């Protein structure tokens, strides 16, 4: 039995990743701020064991409780998918320190705390795969996203550092950098625009492949990195972006 923890599992990329891992036979620990009941129900259709480990990934004590729960129930952890994150679209000169800290706490501190807690277990096992969901914003400069971009650049840096530290001890660490993916979060941003129809067209027009990404476009590389087919892959930042970074 292999065990995977997916953070931000209630919707979007996290939800679909959990479902596909369940299809591959992984037992699951699902994290979010609210119960990912729909994700759990879909995963259980594949006959795997599923538990909730709810909590704020930027809360050190909450992450410690998550690790304790996983070890009590499963006794091991094989894959950590750090998917939980928030967006922020604010001109740099208008951004408050509080907003900056909130983005950094969830998008960078949270993954670090999870990597530390579950990485310790993986190091004792001398095996494990950590997958950090970053963004093309971690590879590029995008206007009005100072905190978000900085957090994702930092997450890629953390990924490479842990790969260098832990690679010889059996633990792999990679990042996946999605482009513009059609998730509930993106739809919310589109709906908040004065002309949502035109806003969606504008998003699509910026894509070299002529369409937005789907969660299925992203989960393929995530499942590959969770599998034994990627045992020699570590320290990478994989762009799955429809050509945005070319």
């Amino acid at each position: 039995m292999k065990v995977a923890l997916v953070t931000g599992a209630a919707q979007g990329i996290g939800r679909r990743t959990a479902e596909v891992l369940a299809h591959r036979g992984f037992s699951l620990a699902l994290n979010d701020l609210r119960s990912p009941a729909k994700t759990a129900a879909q995963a259980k259709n594949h006959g795997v064991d599923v538990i909730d480990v709810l909590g704020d990934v930027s809360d050190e004590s909450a992450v410690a409780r998550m690790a304790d729960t996983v070890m009590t129930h499963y006794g091991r952890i094989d894959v950590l998918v750090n998917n939980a994150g928030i967006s922020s679209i604010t001109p740099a000169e208008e951004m408050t320190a509080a907003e900056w800290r909130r983005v950094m706490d969830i998008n960078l501190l949270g993954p670090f705390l999870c990597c530390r807690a579950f990485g310790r277990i993986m190091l004792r096992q001398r095996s494990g795969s950590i997958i950090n969901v970053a963004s093309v914003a971690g590879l590029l400069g995008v206007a009005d996203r100072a905190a978000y971009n900085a957090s994702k650049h930092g997450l890629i840096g953390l990924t490479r550092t842990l790969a260098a530290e832990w690679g010889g001890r059996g633990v792999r660490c990679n990042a996946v950098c999605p482009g513009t993916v059609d998730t509930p979060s993106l739809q919310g941003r589109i709906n908040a625009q004065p002309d949502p129809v035109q806003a969606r067209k504008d998003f699509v027009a910026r894509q070299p492949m002529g369409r937005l990404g789907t969660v299925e476009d992203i989960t393929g590389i995530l499942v590959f990195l969770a599998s034994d087919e990627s045992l020699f892959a570590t320290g990478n930042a994989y762009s799955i972006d429809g050509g945005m970074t070319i």
Side-chain angles (χ1 to χ4, degrees), residues 143-201:
D144 297 331
R145 290 165 175 81
Y148 183 77
N149 286 14
S151 71
K152 295 302 185 178
H153 275 78
L155 185 55
I156 292 171
L158 174 65
T159 299
R160 289 173 172 158
T161 299
L162 295 181
E165 284 192 33
W166 294 349
R169 300 161 70 188
V171 179
R172 295 174 288 122
C173 191
N174 291 282
V176 174
C177 302
T180 306
V181 181
D182 200 356
T183 62
S185 175
L186 178 67
Q187 189 58 51
R189 288 162 54 194
I190 289 174
N191 290 341
Q193 301 302 310
D195 185 347
V197 173
Q198 185 58 49
R200 176 171 284 274
K201 289 179 180 179

Side-chain angles (χ1 to χ4, degrees), residues 63-116:
V63 173
R65 288 192 298 272
M66 288 162 52
D68 287 344
T69 300
V70 170
M71 289 304 289
T72 298
H73 190 83
Y74 291 122
R76 64 179 298 108
I77 184 71
D78 299 285
V79 175
L80 166 64
V81 181
N82 277 314
N83 171 71
I86 60 172
S87 184
S88 172
I89 303 177
T90 305
E93 69 273 19
E94 297 176 10
M95 175 166 288
T96 65
E99 182 180 359
W100 176 275
R101 290 191 190 98
R102 179 170 175 266
V103 174
M104 290 294 173
D105 280 354
I106 297 172
N107 290 4
L108 187 53
L109 176 61
F112 165 73
L113 292 174
C114 289
C115 286
R116 187 181 66 178

Side-chain angles (χ1 to χ4, degrees), residues 122-156:
M122 292 177 176
L123 288 168
R124 290 198 299 268
Q125 298 170 170
R126 296 198 64 82
S127 68
S129 176
I130 296 171
I131 308 163
N132 293 321
V133 180
S135 168
V136 291
L139 303 169
L140 304 169
V142 184
D144 297 331
R145 290 165 175 81
Y148 183 77
N149 286 14
S151 71
K152 295 302 185 178
H153 275 78
L155 185 55
I156 292 171

